């Protein structure tokens, strides 16, 4: 029987799903003839093993002798080979097709993305990013990717390895506030890798909570809506996202003007603005209003919503009706003074005008100012320069909205 020749490899090899054999350009190829029947060394055993590359021959005598391992240039090749023994038994010439992959893969331009965004990731408040890529390798195919944070790689293996053909989940405590360059390069199934074929994508990280302010000027209103101005800022300065997603206005009211406010409730939302004005329609409900602006950034950070103990950011008072005076009395009349009491339906201040002239001519009219804002009032009128006389008085009340 003729001997049988085997082909072996020293170095990376890979067979794909279609049965195509790939080897690296550095992979050494070796041939060995093995004779299954050996009676004696003179008439048996393998006498010759030969091969040719990319040629077609019919018998072993047309082959070149195999002396030592060899490598092949990049591309598709076919090796024909056979052996013969000392008894002149010759193996039929066989062939092996293979592809020499000598090219390191690279990332297809415009394909490297972080969380779906080309070149620059969206702002995030977590250090986990999904990095996707497409390879330009059309030979043995990609088996994985290397990634390095912060600076370009200086060697083929100078990074973290991820066994993936199209995406990696990159997470690192080294990701700092702001933009973080991530360098990505690929390795194929036969070990070709070139760190100079990297692509780079910016991972943007923002864990700082944005802040907002609110103001109402003037603070009292008797008609229309209450304009609440706001300013929303990312709290990171230069390294923050600086991108406000939305600002929410929270409102709490004290309809009885007695200092007891109800629960906070969300009223209006402004989207994608760092400054603006909310117009709160009170729908005619009078009383004190307090306001709290809550801002959200595009990275997912946001101010805490207000609770009962939260400090409001702005205040306003709304009253569209004139105060009503009732229950006017003079409980005490003396020779030189008169006490006047009255009630109002709003907290008001007042001016009590009194005179011996029922027409209240300016030259004959005195004024007593009541500066404490309340609903139950009392004023003592000094009549010492007027008595004895018949005294007329009138009350002018003013609420906090100026009516």
């Amino acid at each position: 029987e003729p001997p049988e020749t085997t082909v072996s490899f020293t170095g990376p090899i890979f067979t794909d799903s279609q049965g195509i054999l790939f080897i690296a350009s550095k992979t050494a190829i070796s041939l060995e003839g093995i004779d299954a029947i050996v009676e004696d060394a003179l008439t048996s055993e393998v006498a010759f093993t030969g091969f040719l590359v990319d040629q077609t021959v019919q018998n072993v005598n047309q082959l070149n002798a195999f002396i030592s391992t060899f490598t092949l240039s990049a591309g598709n090749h076919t090796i024909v080979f056979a052996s013969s023994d000392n008894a002149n038994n010759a193996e039929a010439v066989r062939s092996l097709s293979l592809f020499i992959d000598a090219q390191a893969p690279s990332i297809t331009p415009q394909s490297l993305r972080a969380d779906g965004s080309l070149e620059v990731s969206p702002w995030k408040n977590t250090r986990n990013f999904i990095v996707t890529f497409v390879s330009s390798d059309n030979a043995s195919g990609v088996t994985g990717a290397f990634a390095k944070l912060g600076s370009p790689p200086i060697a083929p293996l100078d990074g973290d390895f991820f066994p993936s053909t199209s995406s990696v989940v990159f997470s690192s405590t080294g990701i700092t506030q702001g933009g973080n360059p991530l360098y990505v390069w690929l390795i194929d199934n036969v070990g070709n890798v070139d760190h100079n074929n990297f692509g780079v994508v910016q991972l943007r990280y923002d864990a700082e909570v944005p802040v907002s302010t609110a103001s109402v000027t003037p603070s009292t209103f008797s008609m229309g809506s209450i304009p609440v101005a706001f300013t929303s800022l990312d709290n990171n300065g230069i390294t923050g996202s600086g991108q406000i997603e939305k600002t929410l206005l929270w409102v709490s009211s004290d309809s009885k003007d007695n200092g007891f406010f109800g629960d906070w409730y969300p009223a209006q939302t402004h989207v994608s603005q760092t400054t603006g004005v909310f117009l709160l329609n009170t729908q005619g409900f009078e009383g004190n209003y307090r306001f709290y602006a809550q801002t959200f950034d595009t990275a997912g950070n946001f101010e805490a919503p207000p609770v009962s103990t939260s400090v409001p950011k702005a205040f306003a008072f709304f009253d569209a009706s004139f105060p009503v005076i009732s229950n006017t009395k003079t409980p005490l009349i003396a020779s030189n003074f008169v006490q006047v009491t009255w009630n109002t339906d709003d907290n008001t201040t007042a001016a009590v005008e009194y005179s011996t002239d029922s027409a209240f001519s300016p030259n004959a009219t005195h004024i007593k100012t009541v500066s404490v804002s309340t609903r139950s009032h009392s004023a003592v009128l000094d009549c010492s320069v007027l008595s004895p006389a018949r005294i007329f008085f009138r009350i002018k009340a003013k609420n906090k909205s100026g009516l």
Side-chain angles (χ1 to χ4, degrees):
E1 292 186 12
E4 183 176 342
T5 306
T6 62
V7 182
S8 61
F9 305 94
T10 303
I13 65 170
F14 172 74
T15 303
D16 69 8
S17 59
Q18 316 234 337
I20 300 175
L21 175 63
F22 295 89
I23 68 172
S25 59
K26 64 182 179 181
T27 298
I29 305 170
S30 180
L31 303 175
E32 182 181 10
I34 300 175
D35 201 339
I37 299 177
V38 179
E39 293 184 359
D40 62 72
L42 295 177
T43 60
S44 191
E45 291 193 346
V46 175
F48 173 81
T49 297
F51 75 101
L52 285 172
V53 177
D54 298 331
Q55 297 183 47
T56 301
V57 297
Q58 299 300 317
N59 58 69
V60 67
N61 297 327
Q62 296 174 285
L63 300 174
N64 294 329
F66 170 74
I67 305 298
S68 63
T69 60
F70 60 95
T71 58
L72 296 175
S73 61
N76 282 301
H77 293 286
T78 298
I79 304 172
V80 292
F81 55 91
S83 298
S84 60
D85 61 17
N86 290 322
N88 293 320
N89 296 308
E91 178 186 16
V93 176
R94 293 186 292 143
S95 67
L96 174 67
S97 295
L98 68 170
F99 187 97
I100 313 305
D101 186 354
Q103 182 68 42
S106 60
I107 296 173
T108 302
Q110 305 296 304
S111 74
L112 186 59
R113 297 174 180 268
D115 283 65
S117 181
L118 181 67
E119 297 181 351
V120 179
S121 78
W123 285 102
K124 298 182 66 174
N125 61 358
T126 64
R127 291 184 170 93
N128 297 309
F129 294 84
I130 299 176
V131 179
T132 58
F133 54 86
V134 176
S135 169
S136 63
D137 189 275
N138 56 4
S140 63
V142 170
T143 188
F146 289 92
K148 183 182 180 183
L149 185 69
S151 61
I154 59 175
L157 307 183
D158 180 26
D160 297 319
F161 176 71
F162 298 87
S164 175
T165 61
S166 60
S167 67
V168 302
V169 177
F170 186 83
S171 177
S172 172
T173 57
I175 295 174
T176 59
Q177 203 77 20
N180 298 262
L182 182 69
Y183 297 84
V184 181
W185 64 104
L186 307 178
I187 183 171
D188 67 18
N189 281 295
V190 293
N192 293 309
V193 57
D194 185 352
H195 60 286
N196 294 309
N197 287 348
F198 64 76
V200 62
V201 63
Q202 288 284 337
L203 308 181
R204 299 195 295 182
Y205 174 67
D206 174 11
E208 295 290 334
V209 175
V211 295
S212 64
T213 61
S215 61
V216 180
T217 305
S219 61
T220 57
F221 299 86
S222 60
M223 64 178 64
S225 299
I226 299 177
V228 184
F230 72 90
T231 299
S232 297
L233 298 172
D234 194 330
N235 200 27
N236 307 323
I238 296 175
T239 60
S241 71
Q243 294 178 311
I244 299 300
E245 179 189 11
K246 63 183 178 181
T247 301
L248 180 62
L249 178 67
W250 292 81
V251 179
S252 175
S253 62
D254 165 22
S255 61
K256 295 183 178 181
D257 193 18
N258 59 8
F260 294 98
F261 285 85
D263 293 335
W264 290 100
Y265 64 91
Q268 295 179 28
T269 302
H270 265 278
V271 178
S272 301
Q273 290 179 291
T274 56
T275 61
V277 176
F278 296 103
L279 293 176
L280 178 70
N281 184 354
T282 66
Q283 299 180 341
F285 292 104
E286 300 176 345
N288 288 300
Y289 288 84
R290 57 182 184 173
F291 304 101
Y292 185 95
Q294 180 193 19
T295 190
F296 300 72
D297 69 19
T298 56
N301 305 300
F302 56 89
E303 292 179 284
V307 295
S308 60
T309 57
S310 297
V311 177
K313 298 182 180 181
F315 296 87
F317 179 79
F318 181 84
D319 192 341
S321 60
F322 287 92
V324 176
I325 300 172
S326 63
N327 199 28
T328 304
K329 297 179 180 179
T330 54
L332 185 59
I333 300 175
S335 60
N336 58 350
F337 69 90
V338 175
Q339 182 187 22
V340 180
T341 62
W342 70 96
N343 298 116
T344 52
D345 63 339
D346 292 337
N347 286 323
T348 66
T349 58
V352 182
E353 298 178 351
Y354 59 102
S355 175
T356 56
D357 178 8
S358 62
F360 293 93
S361 59
N363 294 333
T365 300
H366 298 262
I367 300 175
K368 175 66 175 181
T369 300
V370 180
S371 58
V372 177
S373 180
T374 183
R375 287 184 169 88
S376 298
H377 309 267
S378 177
V380 176
L381 310 182
D382 181 6
C383 302
S384 58
V385 296
L386 302 177
S387 62
R390 185 181 183 185
I391 297 175
F392 302 90
F393 69 88
R394 61 186 180 185
I395 302 169
K396 293 183 178 179
K398 181 185 290 187
N399 62 23
K400 289 191 287 187
S401 63
L403 298 178

